[in-house]
Every structure is written in structure tokens, then in C-alpha cells.
Amino acid sequence: MSADATSQILVVGRQGQAATALAHVAKKRGVPLVCSGRPQLDLLDPLTLNQVLDTLRPRSIINAAAYTDLDRGQTDIDTAFAINQTGPAFLAREAERRNIPLIHMSTDCVFDGREERPYTEADAPNPISVYGASKLSGERAVASECRRHLIARVSWVYSSFGGSFVRTMLRLAEGRDTIRVVSDQIGHPTHSLDIAAALLDMEDAARRPAFEGWGVYHLAADAPVDRASQAAEIFEMSVTMGGQTAAVEPVSTAAFGAAAPRPANARLDASKAISTFGFSFRDWRTGTRETVSAILAETDRPLSS
């Protein structure tokens, strides 16, 4: 990083879907952006955080770092809260002190999933997992520590970057004829590139002197699908491209028996963000076809990467 690079966006996180997508979209747009993660920038080590901020002097910060293992988080509670709440609190405090706008990524898992419609930003959070509780605590820490904050909740993010539901399904199909997939969880699958584009639009708007739209926004496509149907669609696309396929056995969440509960309804209503910032999201089928094609084209690394 150059000490005179005063107009860059700092992305906290380097290897996840969001950070990778942000780097990809920023490069295409010609937007100066740096992704930084451990050990160079450790959210739990204020010294490293301040060193990076002092060196980079970013125009904005996007926090894409998170503890995202829902099932392990049920027992690894201290780590989940440290990364998802304590770290963002440090970051928000420094952003406020330096007068830097902060965009913090969050999740649909702050909701219990009992609503029968897509969740809006006005709905009261009620997490049902440790992961969801830790992310909600992180949201509240960011909001209390940094006035110029935007919280971007996302749900069912997928892409060819790193791990995602699409990659997991294709990997499992390499060794199984039938795959059990829950059929009573519904969401709005959203491509990470679309989310990255939205985040950069939000960052651009947030730097305008008259901007006062601080707060929480939902970023998601609007076409609903359940997990089992999504998996079936992935395999239908894959087989037409000469890739692997498997039969999908729909099962209930209870029968599947995951360690951490998931919201049955993970749909997020993005109308507030769309009207405020003017972006749009692709239908999940379009993005999924692109993702399946990209994953199947990989020849230099396994699907489990």
C-alpha cells in the first residue's frame, strides 16, 4: 500500500465471496480499492487496524470480514462474537474518530424467519442462532460507534468465488447420485458480483456532502426459491453444460438436522436500497447459470476449494 494513496476504499477481508467480488467489480470500474485481511489487518488487533488505516488513509471502509460458520458457531461462541461484534466495534470506533464512512455487511440471520413475507429494514430482529446473534450485536456496535455508517444485510449469496451453495452442490454431485436438500427454507439467492456493485454504488453515494441516508439496507434479488428447488435448477443447468448432476431428495429442516437453526424465510426486501441508490439485481437463474458455467470451466483446482 502506498502512503500517498488517499482515495482508496479499504475492504476488510480478502478471501471471501464479498471481498473477491468487490475487488473484481472495482477493477472493472476503475475504482481504487484495497482488500486487507489477517495477518496484515486483524480486526481483533487494534494495532494492526490502526497501522493499516494510518498507511492507507482510506476514503471509505467496507467491512466484509465475518465469522460465517453457522453450525460451528453454536459451540464456538466466543470466537463468533469476537469476530462479528468486538472486531466491528473496534473498526467503527476508528472510522468515527477519523471521520471515514463505514459500510458493514450483515445477514438475514438476524431475523427468526417466521414472517410470511420478505423482511424489511423496519422489522424487529430476532436471531435464532449464535451466528445471527453475533451479527446483530455487530450491527448494533457499528451503529452506536460510528454515525456515518451503512449496514448492508445480504442473504443466500452465491458466485464462483470461494465457497457457496452452488459450488457445494456441484462438489457433492461428484460423489453422490442423490443429495438431501431442505425444501422448507426459502430465500432470494443473490450473486456476489451484484452485491459488490451495489456496495460500490452505496460507497459512492455516501461520500457526497449532502448524503444523510445512514442506516440499514437490504441487498437481495427478488425471485424467491426454496433450497431443494434451487439445487435441482443448478443440476439442470450443469447437465446441459456437460457437468455433474444428482437427484435431489427434498427433506424438512428438522429431518436434515443441522446443528444451527436457519430462518425458514430468508427473503429480504431490497426496495429501500433500490429506491435510495438506484441499482438493480439480476434474477438468480441468470446469475446461477453464469456461476455454474464458471465453476465447471475450472480445471486447475477442485470444486472443494
Side-chain angles (χ1 to χ4, degrees):
M1 293 181 291
S2 171
D4 62 353
T6 59
S7 62
Q8 291 179 308
I9 300 168
L10 170 62
V11 174
V12 181
R14 191 163 45 201
Q15 298 180 336
Q17 285 194 81
T20 305
L22 279 162
H24 182 88
V25 176
K27 183 177 181 179
K28 288 186 67 175
R29 291 187 177 186
V31 174
L33 179 147
V34 169
C35 295
S36 185
R38 292 181 295 182
Q40 182 185 34
L41 194 167
D42 185 342
L43 277 183
L44 300 182
D45 183 348
L47 178 62
T48 65
L49 172 60
N50 281 305
Q51 286 175 338
V52 170
L53 291 175
D54 288 341
T55 302
L56 187 63
R57 290 179 290 155
R59 72 189 196 191
S60 303
I61 302 170
I62 301 176
N63 182 27
Y67 183 103
T68 59
D69 191 327
L70 269 76
D71 292 328
R72 184 178 296 177
Q74 289 299 100
T75 53
D76 194 13
I77 299 171
D78 289 345
T79 305
F81 272 86
I83 296 173
N84 292 343
Q85 189 270 329
T86 306
F90 288 152
L91 183 61
R93 201 169 299 134
E94 285 304 313
E96 176 68 18
R97 187 170 72 86
R98 298 163 187 263
N99 196 31
I100 303 172
L102 171 62
I103 300 175
H104 175 70
M105 297 189 66
S106 192
T107 172
D108 69 280
C109 289
V110 300
F111 297 114
D112 58 24
R114 297 189 178 99
E115 280 288 352
E116 296 184 355
R117 53 164 176 78
Y119 281 91
T120 73
E121 295 84 352
D123 289 317
N126 184 34
I128 56 176
S129 65
V130 170
Y131 167 70
S134 68
K135 290 298 289 181
L136 179 59
S137 293
E139 287 187 11
R140 290 173 172 168
V142 166
S144 67
E145 296 286 353
C146 181
R147 187 189 75 83
R148 300 174 71 201
H149 72 273
L150 295 170
I151 293 169
R153 291 176 181 150
V154 301
S155 173
W156 289 25
V157 182
Y158 69 90
S159 68
S160 61
F161 307 132
S164 72
F165 184 75
V166 178
R167 183 179 293 276
T168 297
M169 290 299 102
L170 294 174
R171 175 178 55 81
L172 291 175
E174 289 182 326
R176 303 184 192 178
D177 295 327
T178 301
I179 299 173
R180 299 168 73 242
V181 185
V182 296
S183 59
D184 54 0
Q185 294 176 20
I186 187 170
H188 290 159
T190 311
H191 201 293
S192 67
L193 290 176
D194 295 344
I195 290 172
L199 290 170
L200 292 180
D201 287 350
M202 293 170 73
E203 187 274 340
D204 184 66
R207 289 186 297 108
R208 297 171 188 165
F211 182 79
E212 286 296 332
W214 310 108
V216 180
Y217 292 90
H218 292 172
L219 305 183
D222 63 359
V225 66
D226 67 82
R227 280 298 196 194
S229 297
Q230 184 186 9
E233 190 83 13
I234 290 167
F235 294 136
E236 287 181 18
M237 293 177 181
S238 175
V239 75
T240 64
M241 301 176 194
Q244 54 270 47
T245 188
V248 174
E249 178 187 346
V251 298
S252 67
T253 296
F256 191 81
R262 272 76 167 169
N265 173 22
R267 293 174 294 163
L268 297 178
D269 182 338
S271 57
K272 176 186 172 184
I274 291 169
S275 64
T276 301
F277 301 102
F279 45 65
S280 61
F281 298 95
R282 290 175 291 174
D283 182 275
W284 69 269
R285 294 173 187 83
T286 302
T288 299
R289 183 171 295 279
E290 174 186 300
T291 300
V292 170
S293 177
I295 292 174
L296 294 181
E298 297 171 357
T299 57
D300 59 342
R301 64 182 187 272
L303 293 179
S304 57
S305 66

